[in-house]
Amino acid sequence: MPNAFVYYFGAGHADGGRADKALLGGKGANLAEMTRIGIPVPPGFTISTEACRAFLREKKHPKALRGEVEAAVRRLEKDTGKKLGGTEHPLLVSVRSGGAVSMPGMMDTILNLGLNDTTVEALARASGEPRFAYDSYRRFIQMYSDVVLGVPQKDFEALLEGRKIIRDVEADTALEWEDLKALVVEYKILVARETGQKFPENPTDQLWGAIEAVFRSWNTDRAVAYRRLNNIPDDLGTAVSVVSMVYGNMGGDSGTGVAFTRNPSTGEKKIFGEFLINAQGEDVVAGIRTPLLIREMERALPTAYKELLQVQATLERHYREMQDIEFTVEKGRLYLLQTRIGKRAAAAAVKVAVDMVDEALITREEAVLRVDPQQLEQLLHRRLDPAAETVVLSTGLPASPGAASGQVVFSPDVAHERNAKGDAVILIRSETSPDDFHGMVAARAIVTSRGGMTSHAAVVARGMGKCCVVGAHDLEVDESRGIAIAHGRVIREGDWVTVDGTTGRILLGKVATVEPELSDQFHILMGWADAARTMKVRTNADTPADAQKAREFGAEGIGLCRTEHMFFEGDRIISMREMILAVTEQERRAALAKLLPMQRADFKGIFKAMDGLPVTIRLLDPPLHEFLPRSEEDSRHLAQILHIDEAQILHAVERHRENNPMLGLRGCRLGITYPEITQMQAQAIFEAALEAMQEGIDVQVEVMIPLVGNVKEFSRQEEVIRDMAERVLGSDTKLPYLVGTMIELPRAALTARAIAEEAEFFSFGTNDLTQTTLGISRDDAGTFLPYYIENGILPDDPFQVLDREGVGRLIEIATREGRSARPRLKIGVCGEHGGDPRSVEFFQNIGLDYVSCSPFRVPVARLAAAHAALRTKPKSSPSDSEGIRPLTPAVAGD
């Protein structure tokens, strides 16, 4: 590829191709690739991401760029027979951004660049269509002024609406060319008033203004927000594609559209999309006009439609992936303006991946890697109960499946503010734009009254996995007044509605939901994932119901059963409080005796649900104050139940209050101080195991001692546990059980060798290990953590994505040291990071045996573990740079 910054495509030749996405961006690379394989693409050139990075770094263009762009323009003029600024056959171009990673709707586009008062007359003469020429001109002024000069689109739209009112027409297409010419004058007056400058007439100046604007748009708030949400690096930069214009607004034999080679919601192998006759591409995606379904193109433009079907099939075979394409038909001739990997809902992602294996396009391993693990959560949540009574407020197009209820808001800013306070909100707009992105992220669901299935709202919602309904024409939205009207019913801000993105309905109030149904393709794909992964996936479950649900989702055991969660309901909390309020050991044991059968029954139910799989039970962990009353009313009620003086309760609350309860009397410290608590829990565990075994259940128990920082703490508690096991089980009962610890303190990680000499397994409690390592309370971090992330002090929320440099390093050290003392030491993770795909990859790389996460994240972790196994090689010897021993089978359970 000959140029340093500019790469040409046209006349069957292209500099570069799809392998050059990092340099040319996805759009530029695919334009070049399509040119190479014979797809009809208008000629043009791409300015590389290197030029963008240099511009952003130096605040000016690289020296060589101007000359290369001028040479590319001359070549484009030769290939098209037109001239930029020409008075006979003017060359007009589009200027589009395109990063290496697709960012739909996040970057800016300019069409019809090169028009001015002279070239518009030449375009009118050359095309014989003055209306087309002035329509293109007024569009260009609007786009350029918004992107480059900062004049808001809405100001131009207001002028356009005013002109339609004057002419008493509803559609833009009903305006005559004289109206459009008058609009051009009005637009220019608006620009001069808002900017203090005349609109630029020189096409070369226009081109450089557009190039610089696209470069700058890499750092707009919405682009930064999109990258943060999708974990896209900030230093990639965007390429700029300059492409000769082709026109879909040249009459009834012209049009424009967007299409997917398969249905992005269901995965059905059938072209899916929309188009408009006599329109430009922005009309389809902006939601200004409601488009036609793609199948209607067969009737309106049969020859172009037949060619489109052939082209989309060629692209899918070539890329071996579902494609999202943009096209224009100019005077009956088809042109492709873009192709990229099509974003799709989770159900579609799974079906497309499995179907493409059946079609011999990809391998099973590729199919597994095609589905984003995080996306699977879309399939696992509830949907509307078909039996529920509903009142339909409005119906639109089902743009993204799922269901959600919330309070109506009409402003993205309000959505963001209300979500930050913990409110569930539904964002309703006439249409959305990239500026609404923060509000769309905050909303439970999105509704627009205009637009189609490929509008901004639809594409963004599908990518985020949010349910979405678009094109609800019977919903009249008045954002300025904060109301919407549907069939005479007024919907005000704060009203509750339910959005059904599967059927396209907006329903009154909160509507009941039911469990999702998983497809055959889902189970097939997960089977392939399970065959590929080497790391086990368990669940965090505290009840038999949770355990059963997790097993249905493929959990291979329980990695964390939090026994304290069994004490917070009904009579249990009363008995727990009675134990805490006890003055003597005898009183304490009496209260514990009431808790014993409750714990035993829960453990037995969990063992039954996990028949044949390991169950890790953590002994009581939180500080005692969490169980005590928090109000005078609760204290008074408890005093009445226990027949004690209320002052005694208030005294106990004060006695157990700690300045920093997360670092006080909790975990193993509680069991060491009050060994009778550990005795009761151990008794409940082993008695439940014995009863379950007698009923034919295969029980595999792992007892976990929390918050150990010193091996002597572990030894003290282990002695109590094993003594109770011997007393309950006797010498004749053979129950494979392990006693291990949760590593959640830096000292535990640093002294792991000594602890592993006693402990039979480690489980990293990454939630608390993150808190104690970073010195950050996750309950109080909301005051500053968002600022840290926004300003690059931290790359991610460390409570969602593992801090590899700090917490991860401690995990590596503990893994190495632990296995140096006990080579067959079983090691897992039971913190929330066990369900985060990026964290799972790290755990795979350092050779952990399993991760554990909440039931609904089990499929996510299974697929993430498969991705990690397919993308990385396991550590094979202690001499590797991290010094981690090779993964070895555990002695029990997995």
Side-chain angles (χ1 to χ4, degrees):
M1 298 192 297
N3 297 321
F5 296 116
V6 177
Y7 299 84
Y8 192 84
F9 56 88
H13 167 80
D15 300 329
R18 63 174 171 171
D20 303 301
K21 285 179 66 174
L23 184 67
L24 304 180
K27 187 181 273 80
N30 285 329
L31 285 169
E33 185 73 12
M34 287 192 291
T35 301
R36 292 164 67 97
I37 64 174
I39 301 294
V41 174
F45 58 89
T46 298
I47 302 171
S48 72
T49 57
E50 289 182 352
C52 175
R53 290 192 294 271
F55 176 83
L56 295 176
R57 185 175 57 249
E58 303 296 333
K59 309 301 181 187
K60 61 181 181 180
H61 296 301
K63 289 183 179 180
L65 182 61
R66 184 169 292 272
E68 291 183 22
V69 168
E70 290 173 354
V73 169
R74 288 194 297 271
R75 186 172 178 181
L76 189 56
E77 290 173 336
K78 180 179 179 182
D79 283 351
T80 60
K82 301 176 182 179
K83 184 174 179 59
L84 188 66
T87 57
E88 293 297 326
H89 298 286
L91 171 66
L92 305 180
V93 297
S94 64
V95 180
R96 300 172 182 260
S97 66
V101 180
S102 176
M103 295 172 60
M106 292 297 103
M107 307 300 285
D108 299 296
T109 297
I110 297 173
L111 303 178
N112 306 310
L113 187 144
L115 281 172
N116 56 30
D117 290 345
T118 301
T119 56
V120 69
E121 295 289 349
L123 182 63
R125 290 193 301 272
S127 64
E129 297 281 352
R131 189 197 182 283
F132 148 72
Y134 279 98
D135 186 41
S136 300
Y137 194 14
R138 67 97 184 167
R139 290 170 184 270
F140 167 58
I141 295 172
Q142 179 172 334
M143 289 182 187
Y144 191 93
S145 300
D146 175 45
V147 173
V148 181
L149 305 179
V151 183
Q153 289 259 15
K154 63 180 179 63
D155 294 346
F156 297 97
E157 293 295 334
L159 293 174
L160 177 62
E161 289 299 318
R163 178 61 55 170
K164 288 194 289 186
I165 291 172
I166 291 172
R167 292 300 185 189
D168 193 24
V169 298
E170 293 186 3
D172 304 355
T173 52
L175 293 174
E176 300 294 338
W177 75 268
E178 293 91 348
D179 297 310
L180 299 172
K181 185 175 182 179
L183 273 174
V184 166
V185 175
E186 292 177 26
Y187 281 9
K188 287 187 174 185
I189 293 172
L190 171 64
V191 171
R193 184 176 70 242
E194 294 296 318
T195 67
Q197 302 175 13
K198 290 184 178 181
F199 186 83
E201 291 279 323
N202 186 298
T204 300
D205 293 340
Q206 294 172 357
L207 178 59
W208 283 104
I211 292 170
E212 291 181 8
V214 173
F215 284 162
R216 288 193 300 269
S217 71
W218 178 255
N219 284 331
T220 60
D221 291 342
R222 64 179 184 265
V224 171
Y226 187 91
R227 291 200 295 274
R228 184 172 294 119
L229 181 69
N230 292 276
N231 302 313
I232 299 171
D234 284 327
D235 59 356
L236 298 180
T238 179
V240 183
S241 292
V242 179
V243 186
S244 55
M245 286 293 300
V246 289
Y247 291 96
N249 57 336
M250 293 190 72
D253 58 354
S254 301
T256 187
V258 294
F260 295 83
T261 55
R262 304 187 189 216
N263 189 306
S265 291
T266 67
E268 180 186 8
K269 188 181 180 182
K270 188 176 183 180
I271 191 170
F272 175 94
E274 298 163 330
F275 87 112
L276 282 169
I277 292 291
N278 196 23
Q280 286 196 340
E282 290 302 300
D283 294 339
V284 178
V285 298
I288 296 170
R289 291 169 56 187
T290 300
L292 304 173
L293 295 178
I294 195 72
R295 64 173 178 265
E296 297 181 54
M297 183 179 168
E298 184 176 14
R299 174 184 53 80
L301 301 170
T303 302
Y305 180 72
K306 182 179 179 180
E307 187 179 358
L308 178 65
L309 293 182
Q310 295 171 343
V311 165
Q312 65 100 19
T314 298
L315 288 172
E316 204 176 69
R317 285 194 305 270
H318 182 75
Y319 283 94
R320 300 187 308 123
E321 176 61 289
M322 170 183 158
Q323 296 294 295
D324 170 5
I325 61 179
E326 295 180 15
F327 65 91
T328 287
V329 179
E330 181 183 272
K331 295 294 186 181
R333 184 175 179 183
L334 176 72
Y335 294 92
L336 267 288
L337 307 181
Q338 175 174 286
T339 192
R340 61 188 175 193
I341 295 175
K343 291 187 179 295
R344 64 210 80 171
V350 171
K351 178 172 171 55
V352 169
V354 174
D355 285 352
M356 284 191 167
V357 173
D358 294 339
E359 296 163 22
L361 287 175
I362 60 176
T363 66
R364 291 181 176 183
E365 291 76 13
E366 287 175 306
V368 169
L369 291 171
R370 287 278 174 91
V371 179
D372 179 2
Q374 203 73 55
Q375 202 178 16
L376 286 186
E377 287 193 272
Q378 296 178 29
L379 303 177
L380 308 176
H381 296 285
R382 304 172 73 85
R383 58 186 175 84
L384 291 183
D385 183 352
E389 293 186 6
T390 59
V391 175
V392 179
L393 295 172
S394 176
T395 302
L397 302 174
S400 185
S405 298
Q407 293 178 282
V408 170
V409 297
F410 297 97
S411 160
D413 293 333
V414 174
H416 181 74
E417 293 168 4
R418 293 279 300 276
N419 177 68
K421 296 177 181 178
D423 296 338
V425 297
I426 304 295
L427 179 62
I428 296 182
R429 304 280 281 165
S430 298
E431 61 201 19
T432 65
S433 72
D435 292 323
D436 299 333
F437 185 72
H438 61 298
M440 299 172 74
V441 171
R444 296 284 181 89
I446 300 154
V447 175
T448 65
S449 60
R450 293 192 285 193
M453 299 286 277
T454 50
S455 65
H456 177 268
V459 171
V460 172
R462 278 197 295 268
M464 292 192 293
K466 292 182 184 291
C467 59
C468 178
V469 173
V470 299
H473 299 299
D474 51 1
L475 189 68
E476 183 182 343
V477 179
D478 189 335
E479 291 151 1
S480 63
R481 295 171 60 198
I483 64 169
I485 302 173
H487 303 291
R489 185 191 292 268
V490 178
I491 304 166
R492 292 182 170 84
E493 187 166 294
D495 289 348
W496 278 87
V497 299
T498 297
V499 178
D500 182 3
T502 303
T503 65
R505 296 177 299 163
I506 300 101
L507 309 169
L508 178 66
K510 298 180 182 179
V511 180
T513 57
V514 296
E515 294 292 333
E517 296 178 3
L518 299 176
S519 67
D520 291 340
Q521 287 94 344
F522 173 86
H523 294 295
I524 290 170
L525 183 80
M526 295 309 297
W528 295 342
D530 291 340
R533 65 184 168 90
T534 58
M535 189 164 56
K536 301 274 186 188
V537 175
R538 299 194 194 180
T539 190
N540 301 339
D542 314 317
T543 67
D546 284 348
Q548 184 59 47
K549 173 57 65 178
R551 187 156 192 170
E552 292 171 7
F553 284 147
E556 296 164 298
I558 291 179
L560 176 62
C561 174
R562 293 156 289 207
T563 56
E564 61 272 7
H565 286 188
M566 302 173 177
F567 298 134
F568 283 106
E569 296 182 0
D571 294 338
R572 301 179 179 212
I573 188 63
I574 302 299
S575 298
M576 186 66 178
R577 288 170 172 175
E578 185 179 358
M579 187 272 292
I580 297 171
L581 294 170
V583 177
T584 66
E585 180 181 334
Q586 183 179 2
E587 291 175 343
R588 198 157 36 250
R589 287 187 181 276
L592 288 168
K594 297 178 183 179
L595 293 170
L596 173 63
M598 303 174 189
Q599 288 242 289
R600 182 171 59 223
D602 284 342
F603 292 146
K604 183 178 177 181
I606 289 172
F607 291 144
K608 283 186 174 182
M610 285 291 159
D611 185 8
L613 296 175
V615 175
T616 302
I617 299 174
R618 184 180 70 185
L619 300 181
L620 192 63
D621 182 47
L624 295 179
H625 82 277
E626 291 192 6
F627 299 98
L628 293 174
R630 299 189 180 185
S631 69
E632 291 186 9
E633 182 179 349
D634 286 343
S635 297
R636 192 176 305 114
H637 180 65
L638 180 62
Q640 292 172 352
I641 294 175
L642 298 180
H643 305 291
I644 61 177
D645 186 59
E646 185 180 347
Q648 185 178 342
I649 297 176
L650 297 176
H651 176 71
V653 171
E654 184 62 30
R655 177 161 49 92
H656 288 287
R657 180 179 289 120
E658 298 176 276
N659 289 327
N660 193 335
M662 291 304 297
L663 300 178
L665 183 59
R666 55 165 290 213
C668 66
R669 303 163 190 168
L670 196 60
I672 291 170
T673 305
Y674 303 109
E676 56 270 23
I677 296 177
T678 302
Q679 288 174 346
M680 182 278 289
Q681 291 201 290
Q683 182 178 350
I685 291 169
F686 292 116
E687 286 181 353
L690 184 60
E691 290 181 13
M693 289 173 62
Q694 291 171 347
E695 295 179 15
I697 303 299
D698 179 4
V699 179
Q700 298 178 28
V701 183
E702 300 174 356
V703 183
M704 185 159 67
I705 302 169
L707 210 71
V708 165
N710 184 312
V711 68
K712 292 182 180 180
E713 292 176 313
F714 180 88
S715 300
R716 286 282 188 93
Q717 288 284 276
E718 180 191 28
E719 183 179 352
V720 174
I721 294 165
R722 294 198 183 278
D723 178 66
M724 183 57 70
E726 186 175 337
R727 288 162 55 184
V728 172
L729 301 174
S731 58
D732 296 332
T733 303
K734 301 298 181 184
L735 171 68
Y737 76 92
L738 304 177
V739 181
T741 188
M742 177 179 273
I743 305 292
E744 48 194 325
L745 296 175
R747 190 181 194 281
L750 296 172
T751 62
R753 183 192 302 269
I755 295 174
E757 290 176 352
E758 303 292 331
E760 293 173 307
F761 70 87
F762 284 173
S763 180
F764 291 102
T766 53
N767 300 344
D768 274 354
L769 188 56
T770 297
Q771 293 193 105
T772 55
T773 301
L774 274 65
I776 295 176
S777 165
R778 64 174 174 173
D779 295 324
D780 302 317
T783 57
F784 66 90
L785 198 54
Y787 178 87
Y788 269 42
I789 296 168
E790 290 172 8
N791 288 273
I793 298 172
L794 290 175
D796 301 285
D797 183 340
F799 296 106
Q800 297 182 28
V801 180
L802 187 77
D803 164 40
R804 295 192 183 192
E805 294 181 353
V807 179
R809 183 60 184 148
L810 286 173
I811 293 174
E812 287 185 280
I813 291 170
T815 300
R816 178 178 67 245
E817 294 293 315
R819 284 184 174 154
S820 69
R822 189 184 292 265
R824 295 169 65 83
L825 182 70
K826 180 188 289 188
I827 304 180
V829 167
C830 62
E832 287 301 313
H833 301 90
D836 170 64
R838 283 188 284 169
S839 305
V840 168
E841 182 178 24
F842 174 80
F843 302 139
Q844 164 79 25
N845 290 346
I846 66 171
L848 301 195
D849 294 277
Y850 69 88
V851 293
S852 187
C853 56
S854 61
F856 280 92
R857 300 204 83 190
V858 166
V860 175
R862 287 165 62 196
L863 188 57
H867 279 216
L870 290 170
R871 287 174 172 161
T872 61
K873 294 181 180 180
K875 305 302 179 184
S876 58
S877 75
S879 62
D880 288 341
S881 59
E882 286 85 354
I884 306 301
R885 286 185 175 272
L887 188 63
T888 55
V891 293
D894 291 346

